[in-house]
Amino acid sequence: MEREETEPHVLIFPFPALGHVNPMLKLAELLSLSGLRITFLNIHRLHQNLILHTNLQSRFSRFPRFQFRIITDGLPEAFNGGLQKLSELTRSMETVTKPLLRQMLLSGQLGPTPTCIILDGFCSFIVDFDAEPKIPVFCLCTGSACSFLTYSSIPGLIKDGQLPIKGEEDMDRMIEGVDGMENLLRCRDLPRFTRAGDQADWILQYSASQTIRSSEAHALILNTFEELEGPILSCLRRRCSNIYPIGPLHAHLKSRLSGESAPESESSNGVWEVDRSCLAWLDAQPPRSVVYVSFGSVTVVGNHEFMEFWHGLVKSGRRFLWVVRPNLVAGKDGESGIPAELEEGTKERGYMVGWAPQQEVLSHEAVGGFLTHCGWNSTLESIAAGVPMICWPQFADQQTNSRYVSEVWKIGLHMKDMCRRETVAKMVNDLMQNRTEELMGFVSETAKLAAISVGEGGSSSCNLERMINDIRLLNRGWRISANV
């Protein structure tokens, strides 16, 4: 099938989860700013929620060559995703979405045959790389480079008997044989699904296979920057034919927008209504006095854990801003069950919201620390804002991210799997007072490096320009060169 137009056309398809869609939307905006024709294909259910709670359509309406398209995942409208239903979602996408996408490509429903497809690496199965029409596939890793390398090492770790982690095994046992991570990774620094006890566990095999398949794509895009993960990127370049580290994507987009006539916006892509009243509350707090608490869009905590965190925050005596989204707590007690000391402590020093404009919060001068699940989007936003972290990782890449935050980059503290109020209080005080000077020194320097990377002539900026140029070359039928 020949292309109807000479201009490059990029099809972008994210995995249907907020933490995946968010960076891919930012990439879509960056590519649109460069004048490329973009089609963003989104699962219908998630797209409708985004439209309801964000300025998504108006934000992209200024790009005449941009279009949103939707596709079904084959599941009922009432389907409520989550890690527990990941296998149901991916199997439905393989059965329903994959053949439908191929049909849409062949029939021209998405416009001219794309020059390339930018595919979320977590659902790389959705396109057969060698099927007709043959379209080069770029995979975007929405996690860290260190987690990508860890995931791709899982089959080898299974083969030599180090995985899966069995029963009550010592979680501080060192993992051997991961290139570039010698004497660093422990059992507890691997994703939770490696603790399945069964090497045939579905999510264990799925995550490893999708990561390895991503490395076999035409190119690999990473939401990171050379100055942060250079040694890991060097290891990945020995496995992948072409790599474009172009992050932090949110900072990169902000840098590009600063020179545009369009007004700057946070480009928040959430499925809950943002409560901006927290910014007015922050305005009334002293500089670097508030610990911001958010566990992202997917993490669910039990009521006991929730109450332990709450007691710990109040016990710390520090000011706190806490995002308690509607579905954060499983089995939450009624409001009448809240102890008086928590109500009083929160009234004096705390503020709770259902969803916050996170980038603006982290950039606020009143915020001095971030208690986070250590998802990669949140980690990068904290790095770019120069805010040190307490990491309470739960799943996927978060354990590995936390290890790097605390031990390699030294810009935060690691909280082990279980939380107790005494631990929460101690770590908040370590973050906000006892170790502030030490952590701030490292995170401030890292923030400067992030800003340089996305500025004119920076590593990420140059990698983005190289990627755009390579897409234009592909459109002319030229072959792009691999990493040098």
Side-chain angles (χ1 to χ4, degrees):
M1 181 182 291
E2 293 185 3
R3 299 186 180 95
E4 299 172 18
E5 300 180 17
T6 58
E7 64 178 355
H9 176 205
V10 180
L11 173 65
I12 298 179
F13 187 89
F15 184 80
L18 185 59
H20 292 250
V21 172
N22 201 344
M24 294 198 87
L25 281 168
K26 288 178 168 59
L27 176 58
E29 199 163 352
L30 276 167
L31 295 180
S32 295
L33 285 166
S34 298
L36 297 182
R37 176 175 184 151
I38 305 295
T39 296
F40 195 96
L41 186 63
N42 212 356
I43 295 297
H44 64 292
R45 186 186 308 102
L46 183 56
H47 191 70
Q48 292 306 315
N49 283 331
L50 284 167
I51 290 173
L52 185 62
H53 295 294
T54 70
N55 62 345
L56 195 64
Q57 289 184 307
S58 63
R59 198 164 77 235
F60 283 92
S61 64
R62 71 185 193 275
F63 302 120
R65 287 181 284 204
F66 180 93
Q67 63 175 350
F68 282 114
R69 289 289 184 268
I70 59 173
I71 192 169
T72 182
D73 56 12
L75 294 167
E77 287 295 328
F79 177 79
N80 182 18
L83 292 177
Q84 299 79 8
K85 298 182 179 179
L86 181 60
S87 63
E88 184 179 350
L89 171 62
T90 55
R91 284 165 182 157
S92 182
M93 288 178 67
E94 184 151 26
T95 303
V96 178
T97 313
K98 182 175 180 176
L100 182 56
L101 173 58
R102 184 170 181 272
Q103 179 187 339
M104 294 171 80
L105 287 167
L106 288 169
S107 66
Q109 293 179 58
L110 299 174
T113 301
T115 306
C116 66
I117 299 173
I118 297 181
L119 191 65
D120 191 319
F122 199 61
C123 59
S124 57
F125 66 84
I126 211 74
V127 172
D128 290 328
F129 295 169
D130 295 324
E132 293 296 333
K134 279 193 177 180
I135 303 171
V137 173
F138 293 31
C139 280
L140 171 64
C141 169
T142 57
S144 58
C146 57
S147 68
F148 187 93
L149 183 58
T150 301
Y151 274 48
S152 63
S153 302
I154 286 174
L157 295 175
I158 292 174
K159 187 175 181 180
D160 66 19
Q162 293 190 72
L163 292 180
I165 300 163
K166 302 175 180 66
E168 299 300 316
E169 189 172 352
D170 178 16
M171 295 304 292
D172 289 318
R173 171 173 66 84
M174 299 301 295
I175 298 294
E176 300 174 359
V178 179
D179 191 22
M181 297 184 181
E182 295 81 3
N183 302 313
L184 177 66
L185 285 185
R186 306 160 299 176
C187 289
R188 71 171 66 255
D189 304 318
L190 299 178
R192 276 186 186 272
F193 56 71
T194 60
R195 308 175 194 181
D198 177 11
Q199 68 181 44
D201 178 74
W202 181 86
I203 192 170
L204 178 67
Q205 295 296 331
Y206 175 83
S207 301
S209 67
Q210 293 306 294
T211 302
I212 291 169
R213 195 165 190 274
S214 297
S215 67
E216 297 167 350
H218 193 84
L220 180 65
I221 307 169
L222 289 145
N223 185 16
T224 190
F225 55 106
E226 298 279 356
E227 294 79 1
L228 184 70
E229 296 194 271
I232 297 298
L233 292 171
S234 294
C235 293
L236 287 177
R237 286 188 173 101
R238 294 196 287 269
R239 304 182 180 202
C240 307
S241 61
N242 198 19
I243 290 180
Y244 305 101
I246 59 172
L249 281 169
H250 78 284
H252 209 154
L253 179 58
K254 184 177 180 181
S255 175
R256 297 285 169 121
L257 285 174
S258 65
E260 296 289 316
S261 57
E264 273 193 50
S265 68
E266 178 180 318
S267 300
S268 176
N269 307 307
V271 294
W272 297 280
E273 184 176 0
V274 172
D275 186 344
R276 298 185 65 83
S277 67
C278 61
L279 297 174
W281 181 81
L282 286 172
D283 288 341
Q285 312 307 314
R288 307 202 70 84
S289 66
V290 176
V291 58
Y292 170 59
V293 186
S294 177
F295 300 131
S297 60
V298 177
T299 297
V300 175
V301 302
N303 187 65
H304 174 73
E305 288 177 317
F306 177 73
M307 296 303 292
E308 287 296 300
F309 269 111
W310 199 349
H311 275 285
L313 290 168
V314 170
K315 185 181 177 67
S316 74
R318 303 289 166 181
R319 293 173 173 84
F320 62 91
L321 168 61
W322 192 0
V323 174
V324 183
R325 65 173 203 276
N327 60 348
L328 173 66
V329 186
K332 186 176 180 180
D333 291 340
E335 296 298 321
S336 59
I338 299 173
E341 65 266 26
L342 294 187
E343 286 191 336
E344 282 301 312
T346 304
K347 190 180 298 182
E348 289 176 12
R349 297 182 301 277
Y351 200 80
M352 293 181 171
V353 293
W355 197 244
Q358 182 160 290
Q359 291 175 44
E360 291 179 72
V361 167
L362 288 170
S363 298
H364 199 286
E365 65 176 3
V367 173
F370 184 13
L371 173 48
T372 172
H373 63 309
C374 219
W376 190 236
N377 292 328
S378 291
T379 301
L380 282 178
E381 288 167 9
S382 200
I383 286 173
V387 176
M389 291 164 264
I390 297 172
C391 304
W392 189 58
Q394 295 303 295
F395 53 83
D397 62 338
Q398 296 165 19
Q399 277 84 5
T400 306
N401 296 343
S402 177
R403 183 64 166 170
Y404 269 75
V405 165
S406 60
E407 295 301 315
V408 178
W409 307 322
K410 301 186 184 301
I411 55 178
L413 309 173
H414 173 78
M415 184 184 293
K416 290 187 178 182
D417 300 344
M418 303 302 293
C419 66
R420 295 183 301 171
R421 63 189 68 182
E422 295 82 8
T423 302
V424 173
K426 179 184 183 304
M427 295 197 76
V428 167
N429 277 311
D430 283 345
L431 182 74
M432 301 298 288
Q433 180 176 353
N434 301 333
R435 296 183 62 181
T436 300
E437 186 175 347
E438 166 198 348
L439 294 170
M440 281 303 303
F442 285 110
V443 78
S444 296
E445 183 60 30
T446 308
K448 290 176 185 175
L449 294 174
I452 290 170
S453 75
V454 298
E456 185 175 356
S459 61
S460 292
S461 182
C462 290
N463 283 326
L464 177 64
E465 291 304 317
R466 179 171 64 89
M467 185 177 84
I468 292 168
N469 183 59
D470 287 346
I471 291 172
R472 295 188 188 281
L473 291 176
L474 281 174
N475 194 61
R476 297 174 194 151
W478 293 11
R479 184 171 181 162
I480 63 174
S481 59
N483 295 297
V484 294

